[in-house]
Amino acid sequence: RGVFDHGTSCAAVAAGAWDPTGVLGAAPNARLIPIKLDILSDDAIVKAFQHAKLNGADVISCSLGFPKPVPLSTWVFNTIRDVATTGRGGRGIPIFIAAGNANPASNNQPRLVSDFAAHPDVICVTASNSLDEASSYSFFGPNAFLCAPTNGNNGVGITTATVAVSDDGRSLAHAYTSGFGGTSSATPLSAGICALMLTANPNLSLEQIKNIL
């Protein structure tokens, strides 16, 4: 199940189509370019970002999880910079990246999960809850740009789409979950809001988008 459900839940938060029995995404009429990264090699990461740019992506949302901090190679760093600054016909593509969920609440020290989230050209998203409080699990720090509501502490959780797998593991079905959250949910929510902004004014530059957010 884990192979499929995380991306499905992220996509539904950003762009889930209106469904009277299910959920509603932030930008339900947005179209998606799903990109699945099985291996976090430099080559795979570069190809993923280039694919999004070359296929006309207006917004990029990355809820990537890392077991430990992952430094960026010069190749990956420059690719992200190129996509963020020259994509969308030179207006720049806003790239939203999840800060991460492993902040130790006991010492509460500012730290971001990887250099992806700290890249100077991306929009690093941290987490708050429905009570407008910081979610204790969320990484934070000087590179964080935006905080968006998701689950955490005693707040109401996020309900979104997921993938249900049959007992024999052979078939998949559409389902819903209220167990999704984290910066993985805050990030596509921010990306969906950005999609609404670009619907209203597709000519906004990356800097204008950041100023509005």
Side-chain angles (χ1 to χ4, degrees):
R1 174 181 174 183
V3 175
F4 303 101
D5 58 353
H6 186 267
T8 299
S9 297
C10 290
V13 170
W18 182 77
D19 178 351
T21 63
V23 298
L24 179 67
N29 291 324
R31 291 177 295 173
L32 298 173
I33 304 174
I35 300 174
K36 186 171 183 293
L37 280 170
D38 289 318
I39 300 174
L40 291 176
S41 66
D42 283 4
D43 182 65
I45 294 166
V46 166
K47 286 179 178 177
F49 278 98
Q50 290 178 338
H51 179 82
K53 176 186 174 182
L54 293 174
N55 284 274
D58 294 306
V59 183
I60 294 176
S61 180
C62 296
S63 294
L64 300 174
F66 301 92
K68 59 183 179 180
V70 178
L72 298 188
S73 68
T74 301
W75 187 23
V76 172
F77 183 95
N78 289 339
T79 297
I80 294 174
R81 169 153 288 177
D82 174 72
V83 171
T85 57
T86 69
R88 224 168 32 100
R91 294 183 295 274
I93 297 177
I95 301 174
F96 295 84
I97 296 187
N101 306 325
N103 183 60
S106 57
N107 59 22
N108 208 33
Q109 295 299 308
R111 187 162 70 92
L112 296 177
V113 66
S114 73
D115 286 351
F116 279 94
H119 191 293
D121 298 309
V122 310
I123 298 171
C124 173
V125 184
T126 62
S128 62
N129 66 6
S130 62
L131 303 175
D132 202 25
E133 301 168 340
S135 298
S136 61
Y137 56 75
S138 178
F139 281 102
F140 62 98
N143 296 108
F145 183 84
L146 184 68
C147 186
T150 173
N151 66 347
N153 306 6
N154 295 316
V156 177
I158 300 299
T159 300
T160 185
T162 189
V163 175
V165 183
S166 63
D167 292 337
D168 59 12
R170 295 180 180 179
S171 60
L172 304 176
H174 184 265
Y176 301 103
T177 179
S178 295
F180 187 64
T183 57
S184 283
S185 180
T187 301
L189 174 62
S190 303
I193 296 300
C194 184
L196 294 181
M197 290 164 49
L198 291 176
T199 299
N201 185 355
N203 294 316
L204 290 172
S205 68
L206 178 59
E207 194 60 35
Q208 289 173 323
I209 290 169
K210 288 183 175 181
N211 286 339
I212 292 170
L213 289 172

